[in-house]
Amino acid sequence: MVSKAVASLASIILVACVIAGVVCLVNRSGDSHDGDHGTNISTSSKAVASICSTTSYKDACVNSLENVGKNESATAKDYIIAAIQATIEEAKKSIKAAESVKTDGGKDPRDAMAVEDCKDLLEFAIEDLQAAFSFVGDSDLHTINDRLFDLRNWLSAVVSYQQTCLDQIGEPQYKDPMEHGLLNATQLTSNALTIVSQLGEILKAFHIDIELPKGADTGRRLMELSVVGHDDYPSWFPAGDRKLLQAGRAKPNAVVAQDGSGQYKTVGGAVNAIPRKSKNRWVIYIKAGVYRESVILPKDATNVYMYGDGPTKTIISGSKNFAINKITTMNTATFGTYLINGEGFIAKGIGFRNTAGPQGHQAVAFRSQSDLSAYFDCRFEGYQDTLYYQTNRQFYRNCVVSGTIDFIFGRGAAVIQNSEIIVRMPLPNQLNTVTADGTKEAFAISGVVLQNCKIVAEPQLFPNRFKIKSYLGRPWDKFSTTAVMESEVGDLIDPEGWTIWSGSNNHQTAKYLEYGNRGAGSNTNRRAKWTRVIKKNEALKYTPSVFLEGGKKAVKWVQGTGLPVTMGLTY
């Protein structure tokens, strides 16, 4: 009877706290203190301990929330703001740490470039953190919950920027101080991502009931997507972009032509002339030709749509590479995007090529940081590290991607649909791996999905396909996530299917999945034991509608293109 009375009192107190909009925690341990019969209300240390209990770095979490925990009227929103604010402060310190690392450019040119890259990447991280901070500060709990997917995506991008910084540094005398300087920032970013991702559970603990956001993994949503043959237009682009792409040859703001018939003879020239921070679409038409240049879209060149005369006619070609040029992987890209202040870069009918060959080792043809970006009828040609989905949400449809080692890799979230994946001849004693996902955090919005694709060997590899090991992928980081679904898998793929990342235990925590594949290489009887064949309900979670959407903003992403995209499963 006593326990029931205590429970009732606790419930009344919790309800009162919810009505007041504060975070309260009830001690249900049964310990009596000063005659309170086991009901001890705290708005400080216990609330902080509860929120931090799910994080990986609990001490850092407690320290970051200590001050807000002392506020007796603090709400769940206040705790989220505090977690992000603390992360911003540490991220700013990490830039100072990068500036303090002195390199020898003559002796170690690649590491010198890597440290400079760190400064840029950490600036990008701060911009995303500030965007997240502003959004939470200007929103109520319902709004935050509706856009949790977007918020998680921003924090996931921060994780990617931080890790990319460290990935590219080789020598210990540079890497060790950088890791030390980033330690607090990376821990707090991980914690903030966990707190945001677990918000629903936190609110439930405080008896705050908010409906799941649209696009979440609800039973009804999955039922809608499970219809056989369900083929719809994804909803990621606004109506204006739909009309733009449906028009085919849209009226350009700028024309690039090698013969002088346009305003510019180089792609770089047209890119440099893009109005900065434009709210309207800026359309660039690139006429047929091979443009031998490296092009980087700057971060303030927003809302860009670029199209060509076809991926085998309009080609942007470069040869920068890791091994010969002694530069960092991200700087080998023939074409790259730095769309931080904007989003939604679209490319159609263009080929992106890196001609360094297998001897160049890491040699990126295309690298994208642009959120809510999409690529249609494009071709990405290279060998190692061809297509780099570096950060944020990306969609590829009717494309061709070719390469050897980890040639589809990154730390963002990418779905590649209805595309041809061509495995090429590697160097002697090398193996082929189609994918290498680098998801570092369990709650990150990241991973790669190949859906309804065709995985084949190039003509040069074909007669040697049983002599050279080729795998669907390998786990680059602890929580690497890769799904191959409804695809035609050629007999070049080894019966084991997947291989481990040498020298790591990433495969023990990674998520490697197959569903509904066909072809001679799709037999899963001899697959690696750490991979799984999944059923329809789980496979639906990796379709664009669930894997890439999740918030009201993202619901207008791809569907607006007017191009055919499968939102669910084809069967």
Side-chain angles (χ1 to χ4, degrees):
M1 291 293 292
V2 173
S3 62
K4 288 183 179 180
V6 170
S8 297
L9 177 60
S11 298
I12 293 170
I13 293 170
L14 277 171
V15 170
C17 289
V18 171
I19 293 173
V22 301
V23 176
C24 297
L25 193 71
V26 179
N27 182 350
R28 302 177 187 274
S29 64
D31 295 334
S32 296
H33 300 283
D34 301 324
D36 64 0
H37 301 289
T39 304
N40 181 29
I41 306 302
S42 171
T43 58
S44 55
S45 60
K46 291 181 180 179
V48 171
S50 176
I51 292 171
C52 292
S53 65
T54 59
T55 63
S56 297
Y57 306 99
K58 293 177 177 57
D59 289 344
C61 179
V62 170
N63 291 336
S64 68
L65 301 182
E66 186 175 18
N67 288 335
V68 71
K70 295 176 182 177
N71 180 1
E72 293 185 358
S73 61
T75 66
K77 173 181 169 180
D78 293 326
Y79 283 94
I80 299 172
I81 290 174
I84 297 174
Q85 179 63 52
T87 309
I88 291 173
E89 292 171 2
E90 288 301 329
K92 290 179 178 178
K93 293 178 184 178
S94 69
I95 291 182
K96 293 182 179 179
E99 292 173 344
S100 69
V101 176
K102 304 303 179 183
T103 57
D104 186 339
K107 181 181 177 182
D108 301 305
R110 188 185 294 125
D111 279 332
M113 179 178 282
V115 171
E116 290 301 311
D117 287 346
C118 278
K119 298 173 186 177
D120 290 336
L121 291 162
L122 296 176
E123 287 284 359
F124 300 155
I126 289 175
E127 289 189 37
D128 272 3
L129 285 168
Q130 289 173 334
F133 179 81
S134 297
F135 168 70
V136 174
D138 294 340
S139 306
D140 58 27
L141 278 178
H142 281 277
T143 306
I144 292 171
N145 199 56
D146 283 343
R147 289 188 59 190
L148 271 180
F149 203 89
D150 292 324
L151 194 53
R152 286 175 59 197
N153 178 67
W154 285 329
L155 294 172
S156 299
V158 174
V159 172
S160 174
Y161 293 133
Q162 292 168 341
Q163 194 57 39
T164 301
C165 162
L166 298 175
D167 286 341
Q168 298 194 131
I169 304 175
E171 292 298 324
Q173 69 260 36
Y174 310 130
K175 189 160 191 169
D176 291 348
M178 189 64 73
E179 285 183 331
H180 178 74
L182 276 171
L183 182 62
N184 290 341
T186 55
Q187 289 186 353
L188 288 179
T189 303
S190 171
N191 288 344
L193 179 58
T194 301
I195 290 169
V196 167
S197 301
Q198 295 290 86
L199 178 62
E201 296 304 314
I202 293 172
L203 295 179
K204 286 179 184 177
F206 298 127
H207 292 195
I208 300 174
D209 185 20
I210 293 180
E211 186 180 353
L212 285 171
K214 292 180 181 179
D217 178 19
T218 62
R220 181 174 180 179
R221 179 62 168 161
L222 295 183
M223 280 178 58
E224 291 172 354
L225 292 172
S226 66
V227 179
V228 175
H230 178 81
D231 193 22
D232 200 354
Y233 300 119
S235 45
W236 308 338
F237 289 136
D241 289 342
R242 172 187 293 197
K243 293 178 181 178
L244 189 69
L245 286 173
Q246 283 179 329
R249 290 181 174 273
K251 183 178 179 180
N253 298 103
V255 177
V256 182
Q258 291 177 327
D259 61 8
S261 60
Q263 295 101 314
Y264 307 95
K265 289 187 176 182
T266 65
V267 179
V271 165
N272 292 335
I274 296 171
R276 298 307 192 246
K277 299 182 181 180
S278 173
K279 294 181 180 179
N280 299 317
R281 274 286 174 202
W282 189 260
V283 181
I284 299 176
Y285 166 41
I286 308 171
K287 290 188 176 183
V290 178
Y291 297 83
R292 303 187 188 282
E293 52 184 310
S294 295
V295 181
I296 302 296
L297 235 61
K299 67 178 183 178
D300 52 356
T302 60
N303 294 311
V304 177
Y305 169 44
M306 189 176 290
Y307 71 96
D309 285 326
T312 60
K313 295 180 179 179
T314 297
I315 300 168
I316 304 173
S317 179
S319 60
K320 291 182 179 180
N321 63 87
F322 179 90
I324 300 168
N325 298 139
K326 306 297 182 185
I327 60 178
T328 57
T329 299
M330 63 179 285
N331 283 294
T332 66
T334 297
F335 192 100
T337 68
Y338 276 132
L339 293 181
I340 306 302
N341 293 322
E343 57 195 21
F345 174 68
I346 311 171
K348 182 182 178 184
I350 302 174
F352 303 93
R353 179 186 293 169
N354 192 309
T355 62
Q359 64 274 12
H361 296 182
Q362 295 96 317
V364 177
F366 190 88
R367 174 180 58 81
S368 178
Q369 292 180 6
S370 177
D371 193 23
L372 306 178
S373 57
Y375 309 94
F376 299 96
D377 300 322
C378 288
R379 191 176 184 96
F380 308 93
E381 298 179 27
Y383 284 84
Q384 184 172 345
D385 291 1
T386 304
L387 177 58
Y388 188 2
Y389 58 99
Q390 188 172 9
T391 57
N392 291 307
R393 295 163 287 185
Q394 306 172 27
F395 181 78
Y396 300 78
R397 173 84 177 198
N398 296 347
C399 292
V400 175
V401 190
S402 66
T404 54
I405 300 172
D406 306 337
F407 64 94
I408 300 172
F409 80 110
R411 297 184 182 275
V415 172
I416 302 175
Q417 198 176 81
N418 289 51
S419 296
E420 186 173 18
I421 312 299
I422 302 175
V423 184
R424 307 181 76 172
M425 176 69 77
L427 291 174
N429 301 316
Q430 285 186 335
L431 52 78
N432 290 318
T433 45
V434 174
T435 65
D437 180 66
T439 301
K440 183 175 178 59
E441 295 289 337
F443 293 107
I445 302 296
S446 60
V448 62
V449 177
L450 306 183
Q451 183 185 11
N452 199 28
C453 291
K454 187 175 182 179
I455 302 172
V456 299
E458 72 167 355
Q460 187 179 355
L461 174 65
F462 188 81
N464 301 290
R465 67 193 186 282
F466 300 131
K467 300 176 184 177
I468 297 170
K469 294 280 189 178
S470 294
Y471 298 94
L472 294 171
R474 58 178 180 159
W476 183 18
D477 218 322
K478 189 174 181 180
F479 293 101
S480 294
T481 300
T482 304
V484 178
M485 312 192 305
E486 303 181 313
S487 295
E488 182 177 336
V489 182
D491 62 4
L492 74 156
I493 297 300
D494 189 88
E496 194 173 5
W498 312 84
T499 188
I500 65 171
W501 192 275
S502 181
S504 82
N505 292 318
N506 294 340
H507 58 286
Q508 295 179 0
T509 48
K511 192 179 294 183
Y512 277 73
L513 313 168
E514 292 180 68
Y515 169 79
N517 295 317
R518 57 195 182 277
S522 66
N523 191 314
T524 58
N525 290 338
R526 295 169 57 188
R527 287 297 196 248
K529 300 300 182 183
W530 48 273
T531 68
R532 291 191 296 121
V533 178
I534 57 177
K535 295 183 179 180
K536 176 178 283 189
N537 278 348
E538 188 171 359
L540 287 165
K541 299 175 184 179
Y542 297 92
T543 57
S545 184
V546 180
F547 189 69
L548 293 179
E549 294 194 31
K552 289 182 178 178
K553 185 175 182 180
V555 166
K556 294 184 178 179
W557 181 10
V558 171
Q559 190 167 23
T561 65
L563 296 173
V565 183
T566 304
M567 289 298 289
L569 296 170
T570 57
Y571 55 86

